[in-house]
Amino acid sequence: MVSVGSADRYLPDTVQQAVKIPVVGAFGVGKTTLVGSVSEITPLRTEEVMTQASVGVDDLAGMDSKTTTTVAMDFGRVTLSPRIVLYLFGTPGQRRFWDLWEGLLEGALGVLVLIDTRRLEDSFDVLEQLEIRNIPFAVAVNTFPDSQAYATEELREALDLLEETPIVTCDARDRGSAAGVLITLVEHVLDSEPVTAALSTAVPTPLSTPGAAL
């Protein structure tokens, strides 16, 4: 696989399938960080400096160091195997930007939902949007230094998730960890949804080891 930050921006001729995966979540959960850490190319970012206009609108509790916010999308790429590439689209977290989700979710194989257990209630509306659209998704709990750990079933109950919905823990800053949750999502979709034969044969097996295909 091409290393992070490689100057080689072009896909190998062997690639047969491109898969779209949006990374969604509430404001400040780490979407931009995850896309940046796992992308094999320099990610495209549409971040703007937060100004006084956001005071009282964007809740910065627990995010004292956050000074920028995504206003359109983040874009990254992961070559999962010689024949399949993932295109990652990080979405804005604030509700006022959610109209942009329509285009970013269209044609997606599945969605990765990033959550922060310190602000779990912020994820309820995000999950509701995906359930309305009937899009398969996996939930990744991004760990922060002051995050409280919860059992998987506690989170499943709190978020009202189906038993088959994967819930995994990750560190969005770590490439291997971020790659692992993407693999979990792809496995989940392959197990639960009819997909093209090309995609099924393109994903290497087994994929159980995070980063094994990277």
Side-chain angles (χ1 to χ4, degrees):
M1 176 179 175
V2 182
S3 61
V4 175
S6 170
D8 185 359
R9 296 171 295 171
Y10 303 101
L11 290 172
D13 294 336
T14 56
V15 171
Q16 299 175 0
Q17 185 80 26
V19 176
K20 182 180 185 180
I21 294 184
V23 181
V24 308
F27 174 63
V29 296
K31 301 179 294 295
T32 296
T33 299
L34 185 141
V35 172
S37 68
V38 77
S39 178
E40 66 195 23
I41 60 173
T42 300
L44 168 67
R45 290 174 174 163
T46 57
E47 288 194 301
E48 295 292 341
V49 175
M50 299 179 68
T51 66
Q52 285 298 111
S54 68
V55 175
V57 178
D58 297 329
D59 183 4
L60 290 173
M63 296 182 284
D64 297 338
S65 62
K66 187 171 179 61
T67 58
T68 61
T69 185
T70 299
V71 296
M73 68 173 184
D74 301 309
F75 174 77
R77 189 184 78 196
V78 179
T79 304
L80 194 60
S81 83
R83 289 191 287 175
I84 185 169
V85 62
L86 305 184
Y87 289 129
L88 307 179
F89 293 84
T91 64
Q94 296 97 318
R95 182 185 292 273
R96 63 184 180 276
F97 296 131
W98 282 9
D99 287 346
L100 296 170
W101 286 26
E102 292 299 330
L104 295 178
L105 294 179
E106 184 177 354
L109 176 75
V111 177
L112 181 65
V113 183
L114 207 58
I115 69 171
D116 177 356
T117 58
R118 302 172 303 174
R119 305 152 59 93
L120 199 60
E121 66 281 358
D122 292 349
S123 299
F124 296 160
D125 288 344
V126 172
L127 292 168
E128 182 181 15
Q129 292 299 310
L130 298 180
E131 289 168 353
I132 290 172
R133 291 169 172 80
N134 196 31
I135 300 175
F137 62 89
V139 171
V141 180
N142 190 16
T143 55
F144 292 85
D146 56 343
S147 296
Q148 181 175 345
Y150 295 94
T152 298
E153 290 312 310
E154 287 183 281
L155 289 172
R156 190 178 303 282
E157 182 177 355
L159 297 170
D160 194 24
L161 296 175
L162 297 175
E163 187 64 33
E164 59 266 26
T165 302
I167 303 176
V168 292
T169 300
C170 75
D171 181 342
R173 301 167 299 178
D174 181 80
R175 186 175 186 238
S177 182
V181 298
L182 290 171
I183 291 171
T184 295
L185 171 62
V186 172
E187 286 184 314
H188 171 59
V189 175
L190 289 176
D191 287 343
S192 61
E193 295 290 328
V195 293
T196 63
L199 177 57
S200 298
T201 57
V203 177
T205 55
L207 290 177
S208 57
T209 303
L214 302 173

